[in-house]
Amino acid sequence: MAYYYTEPSHTFSEYLLIPTYSSENCVPSNVTLRTPLCKFRRGEEAPISINIPLISACMQSVSDDNMAIALAREGGLAFIYCSQPIEKQAEMVEKVKRYKAGFVANDSAIGPDQTLADILRLKEQTGHTTVAVTQDGSLKGKLLGIVTSRDYRVSRTTLDEKVRDFMTPIDKVISAKDGVTLSEANDLLWEHKLNALPVVDDDGHMVAFVFRKDYDMHKENPLELLDAKKRFMTGAGINTRDYEQRVPALVNAGADVLCIDSSEGFTEWQRRTLSWIRDKYGDDVKVGGGNVVDADGFRFLAEAGADFVKIGIGGGSICITREAKGIGRGQATAIIEVAEARDKYFAETGIYVPICSDGGIAMDYHITLALAMGADFCMLGRYFARFDESPTNRVMVNGNYVKEYWGEGSSRARNWQRYDSGDASQAKLSFEEGVDSYVPYAGSLRENVNETLSKIKSTFCNCGALTLSELREKAKLTLVSPVTLMEGGAHDVIMKEAVKRSK
């Protein structure tokens, strides 16, 4: 006989937080949202933590290299989508890892006998305006000079003019010797009013660049998520079919953490994927699994070796898995049960496996509810799809700007591997589990994320908490009735906007 749950599952909108005592220290500026991303043992630090509890979904319409850079700058992490050729995904990861560093490994070089046309071509390929001119044109050749956008004017310099004729020669270039500290390099930038400082070895061969913009950017973004080499951190999605080829390529490209992108994680296919990664890389490669909605699913993935576990089936705004297949669970109930399973697993084994709420976030306060219920961080799709930094087009519909947003289970994404059942005859599904849609355009990521974080921190203070662990200990949650929901919004008034529209 089938098992029946005696209580209905609930969504975030069915809960509210009850305020508790707030001390004089409970002000938003004192709140820290840093949270572990990967599993760790009791008494140890997590190998990877994020500075804000927000990660972006492994979706074509959400997470590319531009999103990864923008989100890492704010302290979060993006998972670059895997529904693309392996080489393309690895290239996106490499772009993120090259973008920000204290010492940027030289990846733009040209020979002195090449031309302005070659410079422009290289600029288009790499996006870099500062190019090292080396004796043999190689990345680590002997430095003869540098070229920046100030060394030429396309309107006045002919395309066939030799680089040696308009570059800044080495005798006029301020450089530093290999072994210089980042602090010393930054001092040279400021002392000589430079935008770029080349670093060379004892023989004058090119080693790296240090850029003034990186220093300025870091000071403006103290929560930046950086690796040990001061590069932006990024995640990448993988699937359960081509992982033997995709994982090595992403690891070599520099991906900091991987995530199995699947609609349902309680499967043999995820166990095999995790097992292969552990056999080949041990614990050096961090990888999350999911999605699950109950304690059994969490325990399965934790024992299979997942570094974190994603929760949620059918709750995404573009997901129609529940409608198509009748599987899933209310997101709030799923988090509460899985959080209890995580804590039980931690008590038994001494291993803490972070959990991620994926889907069901319609309002900013739903993020705070998910954290209070036990989630360590939240994966968001629709939220990030609205911003300038998402990879989709901004279009005008009915007089309003919107951005395109489609599910990975839609015909447009054609990401059937995400719904892999292991049946070769079903390599391409005959039905969709996602839709193609629009979301209201919202502007820049930074502005919107800062507003969201302000709301979250303010709510933390209402609950007397300054950290995520404190929030879980002190939070009081109550189920609400439909009438309570109605009462919570504007009611029994005539909105001025409605009056304006009627005129």
Side-chain angles (χ1 to χ4, degrees):
M1 181 177 177
Y3 178 81
Y4 290 88
Y5 287 88
T6 56
E7 295 292 330
S9 63
H10 297 285
T11 65
F12 293 130
S13 291
E14 296 177 78
Y15 284 91
L16 287 174
L17 284 158
I18 303 297
T20 59
Y21 170 72
S22 300
S23 71
E24 62 181 9
N25 292 323
C26 281
V27 292
S29 59
N30 287 338
V31 173
T32 175
L33 298 177
R34 186 171 172 82
T35 186
L37 182 76
C38 297
K39 67 182 178 184
F40 59 93
R41 292 187 177 275
R42 184 183 285 113
E44 297 179 354
E45 290 287 327
I48 299 178
S49 294
I50 49 180
N51 293 326
I52 62 174
L54 305 179
I55 63 176
S56 67
C58 318
M59 300 175 67
Q60 293 175 1
S61 55
V62 178
S63 297
D64 63 354
D65 50 301
N66 291 323
M67 176 60 69
I69 291 167
L71 187 49
R73 186 174 288 140
E74 302 306 320
L77 188 84
F79 281 88
I80 294 175
Y81 68 93
C82 69
S83 51
Q84 60 176 319
I86 295 172
E87 298 76 16
K88 291 290 186 181
Q89 187 184 20
E91 183 181 338
M92 286 186 180
V93 170
E94 289 174 347
K95 285 181 179 179
V96 178
K97 302 308 291 184
R98 288 199 306 261
Y99 188 84
K100 171 71 169 69
F103 292 93
V104 181
N106 183 37
D107 61 358
S108 293
I110 202 163
D113 292 323
Q114 291 181 263
T115 65
L116 175 60
D118 296 318
I119 285 284
L120 298 178
R121 192 177 302 112
L122 185 61
K123 178 182 176 182
E124 184 177 351
Q125 290 172 353
T126 65
H128 298 159
T129 57
T130 299
V131 178
V133 183
T134 60
Q135 195 170 48
D136 59 0
S138 68
L139 297 179
K140 295 184 178 181
K142 186 171 183 179
L143 186 66
L144 300 182
I146 62 172
V147 172
T148 72
S149 57
R150 293 178 299 179
D151 290 315
Y152 59 87
R153 292 177 66 179
V154 177
S155 60
R156 295 190 179 183
T157 307
T158 60
L159 293 178
D160 60 354
E161 186 164 347
K162 301 289 187 182
V163 169
R164 66 168 69 254
D165 294 330
F166 60 84
M167 71 180 187
T168 300
I170 189 64
D171 58 350
K172 294 183 179 179
V173 173
I174 303 296
S175 63
K177 285 292 181 69
D178 193 18
V180 66
T181 67
L182 184 58
S183 177
E184 291 169 340
N186 283 324
D187 286 343
L188 286 172
L189 287 171
W190 284 94
E191 180 183 347
H192 297 281
K193 300 179 181 180
L194 306 173
N195 289 323
L197 177 74
V199 179
V200 297
D201 64 16
D202 291 337
D203 296 321
H205 289 82
M206 188 66 195
V207 174
F209 274 111
V210 178
F211 292 102
R212 183 191 186 103
K213 66 177 182 180
D214 288 347
Y215 176 87
D216 294 338
M217 194 178 298
H218 178 65
K219 293 301 181 182
E220 294 173 3
N221 300 278
L223 293 179
E224 281 182 337
L225 193 63
L226 306 176
D227 65 14
K229 296 180 179 179
K230 301 294 183 69
R231 301 174 300 181
F232 281 138
M233 297 183 71
T234 184
I238 61 173
N239 58 56
T240 57
R241 283 209 179 250
D242 64 10
Y243 56 87
E244 293 185 13
Q245 295 77 42
R246 191 174 293 270
V247 170
L250 295 174
V251 170
N252 291 337
D256 297 282
V257 59
L258 307 176
C259 179
I260 302 174
D261 180 33
S262 175
S263 65
E264 209 272 288
F266 200 170
T267 70
E268 177 62 20
W269 320 116
Q270 290 216 11
R271 191 210 301 268
R272 291 182 185 180
T273 304
L274 290 166
S275 178
W276 184 87
I277 292 172
R278 293 293 167 245
D279 289 344
K280 184 173 178 63
Y281 297 100
D283 289 328
D284 291 339
V285 171
K286 308 304 179 185
V287 55
N291 286 18
V292 301
V293 291
D294 66 359
D296 291 340
F298 169 83
R299 173 72 67 154
F300 172 82
L301 288 175
E303 292 178 346
D307 283 290
F308 64 87
V309 174
K310 288 199 298 160
I311 308 163
I313 294 177
S317 59
I318 40 68
C319 182
I320 55 172
T321 294
R322 297 180 192 175
E323 180 181 330
K325 297 168 65 174
I327 64 169
R329 198 177 196 188
Q331 189 70 358
T333 299
I335 291 174
I336 291 169
E337 180 175 326
V338 173
E340 291 177 354
R342 174 204 57 203
D343 294 343
K344 181 179 179 181
Y345 185 80
F346 181 49
E348 292 175 3
T349 66
I351 300 174
Y352 186 91
V353 181
I355 57 176
C356 167
S357 175
D358 178 17
I361 303 289
M363 307 286 287
D364 284 351
Y365 80 90
H366 290 171
I367 298 172
T368 315
L369 286 173
L371 299 174
M373 291 170 180
D376 293 280
F377 49 94
C378 296
M379 176 174 273
L380 307 171
R382 179 198 61 84
Y383 177 87
F384 288 114
R386 303 173 301 150
F387 303 148
D388 290 320
E389 293 81 359
S390 73
T392 63
N393 296 318
R394 187 183 72 170
V395 297
M396 182 171 284
V397 176
N398 296 328
N400 296 307
Y401 280 114
V402 296
K403 293 208 76 177
E404 296 175 302
Y405 180 46
W406 59 90
E408 288 297 294
S410 67
S411 287
R412 183 170 184 173
R414 304 189 67 78
N415 185 12
W416 307 131
Q417 291 172 328
R418 189 174 193 270
Y419 302 86
D420 188 10
S421 65
D423 186 346
S425 67
Q426 296 292 322
K428 291 187 177 181
L429 297 185
S430 56
F431 59 90
E432 295 180 277
E433 294 187 45
V435 299
D436 196 346
S437 64
Y438 297 113
V439 289
Y441 168 66
S444 73
L445 179 144
R446 183 174 191 180
E447 180 180 337
N448 283 275
V449 165
N450 285 340
E451 180 178 334
T452 296
L453 295 178
S454 294
K455 294 177 184 177
I456 293 172
K457 290 180 177 180
S458 180
T459 307
F460 268 52
C461 293
N462 293 140
C463 296
L466 295 177
T467 65
L468 285 170
S469 58
E470 270 194 295
L471 179 69
R472 289 188 201 130
E473 292 172 6
K474 297 181 178 181
K476 297 180 180 179
L477 295 110
T478 180
L479 279 167
V480 297
S481 68
V483 178
T484 306
L485 291 173
M486 186 182 303
E487 180 185 61
H491 59 90
D492 300 319
V493 295
I494 300 172
M495 301 296 288
K496 289 184 177 180
E497 292 178 0
V499 174
K500 290 178 181 178
R501 286 195 300 267
S502 66
K503 290 182 179 181

